[in-house]
């Protein structure tokens, strides 16, 4: 009997979603490769952050086998993370500071991707949303892990030096949104045929929200304290370019899609520091990017299923492809391992994961 070929998979890496306390805690306890990657990244990040990022993500006992906050006793981390902006809990506030949130998201997504690769997925392409493109670039070999972590950490610290901003999802086509922007707002993302995100100073976003509400146009605030992917990022763009000039940038070994163009990244773009400074300020062309992914199975590798939902809303681009989230978010009633198990079952069902090995006794991941 001829074995069925393994279906190729595309990784989707979220970038603007909220991290949360205990993110991936059960994966850290259960999966050796995931845990080893988190530990390694934490050690590399320590000189940049001045703290152990594991103590930020898992403040109630990062390395113990028992965690009262996640096992039913003590403080409920899921409840704590629902409304971090109203929280006075120091741990809750710390993980949502950009300097911690962005490295935390990066290392959790990187570690989960390494775990999936160790299980034998046939990775064909990748698409990272905003910060998620840095994860894709690192896995593709454009940036070394150490350089990627340093870049993400410093970029986040520089973002914190910028004036506050806000972001608003608007249910209109791109052309209509661009026509209404005015001098203080910018297009930050095109997520679907009638789903864009605008950003700008908080007062300008509040005004736009009121005016669009009066016109009965649906809007929703994006959880962001800065105007990402807009000209408000421009003051730090030269710093990002200068930092990258000191790195060795290489063409991507694994294809991934550019947020800036909506097409597969070219060698010239990936290795140009100016591309990465433009990436900071230009809109994320997510809807176009989905069309550049040839893979039949799309696996979301990071907390929640924001990108899976966005992709489903872009039905004309998606065709009959399979969308699978693989990590819970804070509001998800299922455990980490339950969500992961559903993803494993989906991949097996669609022929995208090898059968026959004990997935939880995979060999150690190779060094980058």
């Amino acid at each position: 009997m001829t074995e069925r070929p393994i279906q190729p998979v595309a990784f989707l890496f979220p970038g603007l979603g909220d991290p949360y306390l205990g993110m991936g805690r059960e994966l850290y306890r259960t999966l050796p490769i995931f845990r080893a990657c988190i530990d390694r990244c934490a050690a590399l990040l320590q000189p940049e952050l001045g703290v152990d990022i594991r103590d930020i993500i898992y403040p109630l006992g990062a390395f113990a086998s028992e965690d009262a906050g996640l096992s039913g006793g003590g403080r409920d981390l899921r409840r704590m993370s629902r409304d971090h902006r109203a929280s006075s809990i120091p741990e809750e506030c710390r993980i949502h500071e950009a300097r911690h949130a962005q490295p935390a998201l990066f290392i959790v997504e990187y570690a989960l991707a390494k775990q999936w690769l160790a299980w034998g997925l046939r990775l064909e392409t990748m698409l990272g949303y905003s910060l998620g493109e840095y994860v894709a670039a690192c896995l593709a070999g454009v940036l070394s892990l150490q350089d990627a972590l340093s870049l993400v950490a410093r970029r986040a610290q520089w973002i914190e030096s910028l004036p506050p901003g806000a972001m608003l999802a608007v249910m209109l086509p791109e052309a209509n949104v661009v026509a209404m922007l005015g001098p203080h707002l910018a297009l930050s993302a095109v997520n679907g045929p009638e789903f864009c995100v605008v950003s700008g100073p908080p007062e300008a976003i509040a005004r736009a929200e009121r005016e669009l509400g009066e016109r009965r146009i649906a809007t929703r605030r994006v959880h962001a304290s800065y105007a990402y992917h807009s000209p408000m990022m421009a003051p730090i763009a030269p710093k990002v370019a200068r930092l990258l000039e000191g790195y060795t940038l290489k063409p991507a070994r694994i294809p991934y899609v550019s947020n800036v163009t909506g097409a597969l990244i070219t060698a010239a773009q990936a290795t140009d520091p100016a591309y990465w400074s433009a990436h900071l300020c230009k809109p994320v062309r997510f809807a176009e990017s989905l069309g550049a992914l040839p893979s039949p199975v799309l696996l979301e590798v990071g907390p929640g299923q924001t990108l899976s939902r966005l992709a489903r809303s872009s039905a004309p681009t998606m065709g009959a492809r399979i969308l699978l989230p693989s990590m819970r978010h804070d509001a998800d009633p299922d455990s980490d391992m339950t969500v992961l198990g559903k993803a494993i079952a989906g991949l097996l069902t669609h022929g995208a994961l090898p059968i026959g090995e004990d997935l939880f006794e995979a060999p150690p991941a190779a060094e980058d």
Side-chain angles (χ1 to χ4, degrees), residues 204-241:
I205 289 293
R207 185 165 55 251
E209 188 175 27
R210 288 194 303 271
E211 292 172 355
L212 290 167
E214 290 168 1
R215 294 165 54 189
R216 298 185 181 278
I217 295 169
T219 63
R220 179 176 57 81
R221 283 292 184 115
V222 176
H223 289 169
S225 301
Y226 300 92
Y228 293 104
H229 296 281
S230 81
M232 288 187 73
M233 296 285 113
I236 68 169
K239 293 182 179 180
V240 169

Side-chain angles (χ1 to χ4, degrees), residues 324-355:
L324 297 169
S326 63
M327 187 177 178
R328 67 176 296 277
H329 209 319
D330 60 336
D332 197 321
D334 291 330
S335 69
D336 285 329
M337 293 304 291
T338 299
V339 173
L340 185 71
K342 289 178 181 178
I344 289 170
L347 291 167
L348 289 169
T349 298
H350 297 287
L353 191 64
I355 300 174

Side-chain angles (χ1 to χ4, degrees), residues 122-290:
R122 182 184 157 201
L123 179 58
E124 184 177 42
T125 46
M126 298 179 284
L127 169 58
Y129 193 112
S130 187
L131 179 72
E133 186 166 332
Y134 288 76
V135 185
C138 181
L139 287 168
V142 172
L143 289 156
S144 71
L145 178 59
Q146 179 144 13
D147 287 348
L149 289 169
S150 176
L151 174 60
V152 167
R154 295 190 195 188
R155 174 183 177 268
Q157 291 163 15
W158 292 332
I159 285 171
E160 287 191 340
S161 72
L162 296 171
M167 304 181 75
L168 183 71
V170 180
M171 304 304 139
L172 284 174
E174 179 181 358
N176 298 56
V177 171
V178 170
M180 56 152 270
L181 287 176
H184 302 298
L185 298 178
L187 178 70
S188 287
V190 182
N191 291 334
E194 296 187 2
F195 184 2
C196 295
V197 179
V198 299
S199 63
E203 60 276 10
I205 289 293
R207 185 165 55 251
E209 188 175 27
R210 288 194 303 271
E211 292 172 355
L212 290 167
E214 290 168 1
R215 294 165 54 189
R216 298 185 181 278
I217 295 169
T219 63
R220 179 176 57 81
R221 283 292 184 115
V222 176
H223 289 169
S225 301
Y226 300 92
Y228 293 104
H229 296 281
S230 81
M232 288 187 73
M233 296 285 113
I236 68 169
K239 293 182 179 180
V240 169
R242 282 195 299 272
L243 183 59
L244 280 152
E245 285 167 3
Y247 295 160
T248 299
L249 301 176
K250 299 177 181 178
R253 296 193 303 265
I254 305 169
Y256 68 89
V257 183
S258 159
N259 285 178
V260 177
T261 67
L264 290 176
I265 196 83
T266 66
Q269 290 165 342
T271 57
D272 184 1
Y275 168 82
W276 294 99
S277 58
H279 176 275
L280 188 67
C281 303
K282 290 186 176 293
V284 174
R285 309 208 68 84
F286 181 72
E288 293 173 47
S289 299
L290 286 171

Side-chain angles (χ1 to χ4, degrees), residues 63-135:
F63 319 117
S65 61
E66 297 293 327
D67 187 330
L70 291 177
S71 60
R75 288 178 290 176
D76 183 350
L77 296 185
R78 295 175 187 174
R79 177 187 59 77
M80 284 162 55
S81 59
R82 296 288 170 82
D83 186 11
H84 64 83
R85 284 161 186 79
S87 176
S88 60
I89 300 168
E91 297 95 335
E92 180 65 24
C93 296
R94 283 209 303 170
I95 198 170
H96 289 100
E97 295 170 353
R99 71 181 65 195
H100 299 139
Q102 295 186 19
L105 281 172
F106 180 98
I107 68 169
V108 165
E109 293 177 13
Y110 173 84
L112 186 54
K114 283 294 200 178
Q115 184 69 66
W116 280 119
L117 292 174
W119 282 335
L121 265 69
R122 182 184 157 201
L123 179 58
E124 184 177 42
T125 46
M126 298 179 284
L127 169 58
Y129 193 112
S130 187
L131 179 72
E133 186 166 332
Y134 288 76
V135 185

